[in-house]
Amino acid sequence: MSRRFRYAALVAVAALFLSGSSAPVSAIGIPLPPPPVLCGCACDDGSFVITHAATPDGCPQACDAACAATGF
């Protein structure tokens, strides 16, 4: 085997592992969790905080907690 072929094979295998990290999980029928929702929060003290929530309906609670944590 030539050195160039070995390097090309190594790069191909690395790209395969890095690009398909969630493919085996979804192939066996395990659903992946939904990505968290970003919530933009305007706090009472005039500050603006961005936080995460599990669902869009959870943004008000996440904003309340984030604004309470930033108030000193």
Side-chain angles (χ1 to χ4, degrees), residues 54-69:
T55 63
D57 296 333
C59 278
Q61 292 87 5
C63 285
D64 290 341
C67 287

Side-chain angles (χ1 to χ4, degrees), residues 30-38 52-56:
I30 300 172
L32 297 175
V37 178
L38 284 176
H52 290 91
T55 63

Side-chain angles (χ1 to χ4, degrees), residues 30-57:
I30 300 172
L32 297 175
V37 178
L38 284 176
C39 305
C41 311
C43 299
D44 293 334
D45 62 354
S47 64
F48 188 79
V49 179
I50 296 176
T51 187
H52 290 91
T55 63
D57 296 333

